[in-house]
């Protein structure tokens, strides 16, 4: 019996020793761009005096929903109108299929945004109910058709693709002052406005469902603390979000048997805590609200952990971050995005990490009054149709290609500024470890998985994803 046990133990040990970690590398000098490298075998040999990344499967955190970007009107226009059919199919496969980077979560605007254009590429400001009618009898999502087409084709590449919808504004006639731009808020003088706006969300969700596009989540208002004279915006205080969700939107979704998640806030890391605390102090709102969404433009990702500590039963979503021509160095951009978004987001409880525009043109457009130097995940040249993959493509890809839907984040050692990491256990029990070297010199480190080790040297300002099967 002892001999049999010993043989089993030796066989188990040798199977671990034969296990290999697959490697995918992106370097700051761009000599490797999500490049698959030769796998590394595990061994029982531990190297001394180097940073050790220990994987701890027993310590589990959030379940992931996915990684991706926004299909804006501008992105959809370029994909539909500036690519021939072959190039379009190739790009969508590259972005959404398992053979590409396998984006699993996307966001889009409910109506117009600062990147909404018509089928000619001209700025377009619209909602689904521009004609004043409290019964919403003229409600229509037809002006979203370019976006709908791309979402449908993306979902054909990834049947598990999830969608988040976000409004930039309510119809102007529902707003105090009746203005599309310059913010303003829902008309608080009549309860009928709130009821109609709740119905507006219900009709949107049902309309997209009819088109084969189930809406996983909605945020209540894009950047509720920011208004612009140049594109659709709307102010929405924490108190107003609480009233709207708790008394109107939550009950409306419930009575229509809609299980789309309601997400509050949807603005910067900085300034989040007070707003979110006010929202969740409302008992009805708390009951109906799944969690909170964040943007990256002010503050640090640690603010999401502070919110999690205060509201541990609510989920965290990182819903928007854009790269741009304000920072052109590939290695610097890769380091910042990996540190703050791809690694820093989930390490601070984010279930999603979403970039802003999936595609923009060579001039950062076409825009509708918004950012004039933002960068898409890819660039589509309007003249030539050439597709260029930007640093955002590789940042997202280091996670989306390997981290499966419903993967669970597990503990991994991280050394800020030296070797930063995040780890997952997939539903097939494979392990994913994403690591970043944000420093200016190469760094050697080792990974320890239950007493089996491999050692790796990561170039400066570079990122790597390891994946291995559980043995």
């Amino acid at each position: 019996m002892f001999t049999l046990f010993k043989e089993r133990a030796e066989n188990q040990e040798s199977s671990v020793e034969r296990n290999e970690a697959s490697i995918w590398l992106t370097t700051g000098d761009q000599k490797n761009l999500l490049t698959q490298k030769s796998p590394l075998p595990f061994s029982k040999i531990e190297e001394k005096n180097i940073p050790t990344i220990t994987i701890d499967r027993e310590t589990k955190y959030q379940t992931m929903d996915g990684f991706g970007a926004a299909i804006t009107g501008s992105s959809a226009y370029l994909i539909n109108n500036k690519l021939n059919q072959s190039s379009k199919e190739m790009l969508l496969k590259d972005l959404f299929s398992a053979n590409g980077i396998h984006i699993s979560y996307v966001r889009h605007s409910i109506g117009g945004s600062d990147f909404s254009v018509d089928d000619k590429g001209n700025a377009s400001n619209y909602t689904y109910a521009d004609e004043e009618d409290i019964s919403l009898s003229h409600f229509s999502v037809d002006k979203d058709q370019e976006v709908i087409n791309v979402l449908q084709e993306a979902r054909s590449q990834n049947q598990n693709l999830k969608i988040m919808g976000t409004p930039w504004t309510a119809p102007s006639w529902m707003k105090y002052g009746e203005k599309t731009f310059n913010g303003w808020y829902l008309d608080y003088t009549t309860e009928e406005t709130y009821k109609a706006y709740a119905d507006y969300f219900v009709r949107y969700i049902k309309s997209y469902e009819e088109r084969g596009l189930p809406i996983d989540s909605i945020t209540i208002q894009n950047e509720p603390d920011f208004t612009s004279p140049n594109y659709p915006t709307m102010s929405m205080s924490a108190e107003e979000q609480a009233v709207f969700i708790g008394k109107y939107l939550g009950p409306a979704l419930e009575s229509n048997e809609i299980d789309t998640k309601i997400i509050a806030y949807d603005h910067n890391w900085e300034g989040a805590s007070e707003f979110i605390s006010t929202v969740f102090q409302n008992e009805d709102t708390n009951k109906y609200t799944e969690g909170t969404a964040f943007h990256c433009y002010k503050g640090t990702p640690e603010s999401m952990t502070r919110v999690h500590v205060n509201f541990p039963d609510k989920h965290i979503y990182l819903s928007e971050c854009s790269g741009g021509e304000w920072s052109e160095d590939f290695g610097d951009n890769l380091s910042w995005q990996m540190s703050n978004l791809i690694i820093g987001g989930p390490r601070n409880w984010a279930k999603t990490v979403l970039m802003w525009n999936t595609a923009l043109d060579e001039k950062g457009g076409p825009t509708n009054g918004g950012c004039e130097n933002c960068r898409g995940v890819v660039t589509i040249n309007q003249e030539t149709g050439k597709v260029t993959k930007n640093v955002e493509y590789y940042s997202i890809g280091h996670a989306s290609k390997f981290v499966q839907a419903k993967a669970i984040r597990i503990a991994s050692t991280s050394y800020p500024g030296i070797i930063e990491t995040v780890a997952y256990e997939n539903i097939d029990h494979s392990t994913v470890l994403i690591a970043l070297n944000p420093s200016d010199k190469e760094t050697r480190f080792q990974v320890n998985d239950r007493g089996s080790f491999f050692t790796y040297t990561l170039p400066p300002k570079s990122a790597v994803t390891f994946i291995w099967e559980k043995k």
Side-chain angles (χ1 to χ4, degrees), residues 218-393:
I218 50 172
T219 67
I220 303 309
Q221 173 60 42
N222 179 69
E223 300 186 347
D225 284 335
F226 175 80
T227 62
S228 170
N230 300 317
Y231 61 86
T233 53
M234 187 171 80
S235 296
M236 200 176 216
S237 68
E239 292 83 0
E240 188 173 18
Q241 278 204 9
V243 169
F244 178 62
I245 295 170
K247 290 186 66 176
Y248 301 98
L249 181 60
L253 297 192
E254 186 175 60
S255 65
N256 283 275
E257 300 182 337
I258 293 172
D259 60 4
T260 297
K261 304 177 186 75
I262 298 173
I263 301 172
Y265 190 54
D266 205 12
H267 207 166
N268 289 326
W269 290 320
E270 182 178 286
S273 294
E274 184 177 348
F275 189 107
I276 292 166
S277 294
T278 299
V279 170
F280 288 138
Q281 282 171 3
N282 183 302
E283 194 172 306
D284 290 332
T285 306
N286 196 304
K287 176 179 70 173
Y288 289 117
T289 309
E290 182 79 7
T292 52
F294 295 83
H295 296 187
C296 74
Y297 305 115
K298 288 184 180 179
T300 63
E302 288 75 21
S303 69
M304 296 187 293
T305 289
R306 291 192 287 272
V307 170
H308 171 78
V309 169
N310 291 330
F311 304 99
D313 61 328
K314 299 300 180 184
H315 294 142
I316 302 288
Y317 301 82
L318 185 43
S319 58
E320 182 183 318
C321 193
S322 182
E325 296 311 313
W326 55 83
S327 178
E328 296 183 351
D329 184 83
F330 184 94
D332 288 343
N333 287 325
L334 179 70
S335 292
W336 191 92
Q337 291 172 16
M338 296 300 297
S339 180
N340 289 276
L341 307 179
I342 305 302
I343 293 174
R347 284 191 77 93
N348 286 282
W349 295 94
K351 289 169 65 69
T352 63
V353 178
L354 307 180
M355 296 293 188
W356 188 203
N357 293 273
T358 297
L360 290 176
D361 68 18
E362 68 279 8
K363 297 179 181 179
T367 70
N368 179 30
C371 170
E372 295 183 351
N373 58 350
C374 283
R375 184 172 54 234
V377 173
V378 300
T379 296
I380 297 176
N381 188 290
Q382 289 224 44
E383 297 299 321
T384 66
K386 179 183 178 183
V387 176
T388 302
K389 298 173 184 177
N390 296 320
V391 61
E392 290 75 16
Y393 172 94

Side-chain angles (χ1 to χ4, degrees), residues 115-272:
F115 283 90
S116 58
V117 296
D118 61 20
D119 59 5
K120 299 293 189 295
N122 299 316
S124 179
N125 299 302
Y126 66 95
T127 69
Y128 304 145
D130 288 329
E131 185 174 336
E132 183 171 355
D133 176 8
I134 204 72
S135 68
L136 302 184
S137 59
H138 300 288
F139 182 96
S140 173
V141 299
D142 287 351
K143 288 185 178 179
D144 274 359
Q145 194 56 53
E146 293 270 6
V147 171
I148 289 168
N149 289 344
V150 173
L151 289 173
Q152 288 171 332
E153 293 185 59
R155 205 155 189 272
S156 73
Q157 298 294 334
N158 182 354
Q159 291 294 323
N160 296 316
L161 183 69
K162 292 184 175 181
I163 302 169
M164 172 187 286
T166 300
W168 265 238
T169 183
S172 60
W173 56 270
M174 293 187 186
K175 296 164 68 175
Y176 187 80
E178 299 190 3
K179 293 179 180 287
T180 300
F181 299 162
N182 290 313
W184 296 92
Y185 35 83
L186 286 173
D187 185 358
Y188 59 85
T189 62
T190 170
E191 188 180 50
E192 295 306 309
T193 298
Y194 286 82
K195 290 180 179 177
Y197 197 39
D199 187 31
Y200 182 89
F201 279 92
V202 169
R203 288 171 184 255
Y204 152 69
I205 293 167
K206 287 183 175 180
S207 294
Y208 266 67
E209 176 76 37
E210 289 168 0
R211 289 160 174 78
L213 298 170
I215 303 300
D216 180 69
S217 63
I218 50 172
T219 67
I220 303 309
Q221 173 60 42
N222 179 69
E223 300 186 347
D225 284 335
F226 175 80
T227 62
S228 170
N230 300 317
Y231 61 86
T233 53
M234 187 171 80
S235 296
M236 200 176 216
S237 68
E239 292 83 0
E240 188 173 18
Q241 278 204 9
V243 169
F244 178 62
I245 295 170
K247 290 186 66 176
Y248 301 98
L249 181 60
L253 297 192
E254 186 175 60
S255 65
N256 283 275
E257 300 182 337
I258 293 172
D259 60 4
T260 297
K261 304 177 186 75
I262 298 173
I263 301 172
Y265 190 54
D266 205 12
H267 207 166
N268 289 326
W269 290 320
E270 182 178 286

